[in-house]
Amino acid sequence: NIRYKAKRLDEAKREFKQALSIEHTYADASLMLARCYLKQKENPKALKVLRQAVKSAPGNDQLRDALEKVEANAGIESEQES
């Protein structure tokens, strides 16, 4: 997304949210929205987005890996491991 690359994160977040409102299983939009939140130090929001994405697409390894990484950085045990 050009806005993400240009560090226009609020605009990028709006676009990713809009994409997810149309297709909630759009993994790339979930990943990019989570990245925007992480760049703005909004880790709880990033976790929420990734958890919802994994529920929507449980077979997506990229989403699960991203969630595990964010949880590890936040000191949270992965729900799959508990």
Side-chain angles (χ1 to χ4, degrees), residues 27 31 54 57-65:
L31 287 168
V54 168
N60 187 310
D61 291 334
Q62 189 177 15
L63 288 171
R64 273 200 326 271
D65 291 346

Side-chain angles (χ1 to χ4, degrees), residues 39-67:
K39 281 195 174 281
Q40 294 183 318
K41 308 291 187 216
E42 297 181 86
N43 295 15
K45 290 182 180 181
L47 282 168
K48 182 178 178 181
V49 166
L50 291 171
R51 287 178 178 149
Q52 289 173 338
V54 168
K55 285 181 184 177
S56 295
N60 187 310
D61 291 334
Q62 189 177 15
L63 288 171
R64 273 200 326 271
D65 291 346
L67 175 59

